[in-house]
Amino acid sequence: MMRIWQAAAVFCAATSILGAEENGKSFAWSGPKVVQSIFNEDLGMLDSERDEYATNLAGIAGNAVAKAKASPASLADARRMLALALQLSPRNKRAVVLNFQLAKGVLPEPVEGNYSPQVFARLILTRGQLLEKQGGEENQKLARYFIQLAAELDPKNEDAVYASEVQRLDHGVLDWSAVTDAEKP
């Protein structure tokens, strides 16, 4: 009888340890490094607008990760969107919370957003084009990120794809490391 009790105890302990490992961090997250925003006060956006875009970027990123069950591709896309969100608004609640959850290996819960990815793509395409027309280094920089992201969010949007490809042809491949790994002192 004592042997059965010991075997049952060992089995239960092993099961709980294995179960705990399964529930632990199940994906690798390399969060964006944002010490200080790469955008300065010359950016043609109000702080409230920057925060609104950041909230929507983080929401779309989190929903994509949740839907894809944290696939490597969804995490890579989320890293860029989340980095851009944190560059626009470093203390944005949704972006900060999502970054923390992903760092802990927690799959985010889908959130109700203001826009679908396709509608948001049209919005950031239009905003990117307006920033381009405004001119200025800061506006041009954000315009390129918005336009490329619009094409990636909705590859069926021919206007976004065309604008993104023209940018690539005119200026070369967009370097996202300036956004994802910015460590300005």
Side-chain angles (χ1 to χ4, degrees), residues 14-161:
T15 304
S16 66
I17 290 171
L18 291 175
E21 287 178 1
E22 263 183 39
N23 292 335
K25 191 171 185 176
S26 59
F27 54 85
W29 173 250
S30 173
K33 294 172 183 72
V34 178
V35 175
Q36 181 180 345
S37 177
I38 62 169
F39 301 109
N40 64 33
E41 65 279 347
D42 294 336
L43 182 63
M45 295 175 82
L46 298 172
D47 287 344
S48 59
E49 184 182 13
R50 291 169 68 148
D51 193 59
E52 186 68 26
Y53 279 104
T55 297
N56 285 292
L57 282 165
I60 287 172
N63 288 345
V65 168
K67 182 179 179 184
K69 304 240 185 286
S71 72
S74 71
L75 290 170
D77 291 344
R79 185 172 191 265
R80 290 184 309 144
M81 285 189 274
L82 192 54
L84 188 55
L86 290 168
Q87 293 292 352
L88 289 171
S89 182
R91 293 179 179 258
N92 178 272
K93 181 178 181 178
R94 189 167 290 164
V96 169
V97 168
L98 177 62
N99 194 35
F100 178 86
Q101 288 174 335
L102 293 174
K104 294 294 183 188
V106 174
L107 197 61
E109 292 291 324
V111 294
E112 189 100 12
N114 295 337
Y115 309 102
S116 70
Q118 294 77 20
V119 171
F120 190 63
R122 285 193 301 272
L123 179 67
I124 62 175
L125 171 65
T126 302
R127 189 61 174 110
Q129 290 169 329
L130 287 171
L131 286 167
E132 259 184 338
K133 287 178 185 171
Q134 277 182 284
E137 186 180 331
E138 295 296 305
N139 293 336
Q140 297 295 320
K141 188 176 7 176
L142 182 56
R144 286 201 67 203
Y145 290 114
F146 270 5
I147 290 170
Q148 182 180 342
L149 192 56
E152 291 174 3
L153 283 172
D154 187 8
K156 291 183 179 182
N157 181 332
E158 292 181 8
D159 293 332
V161 170

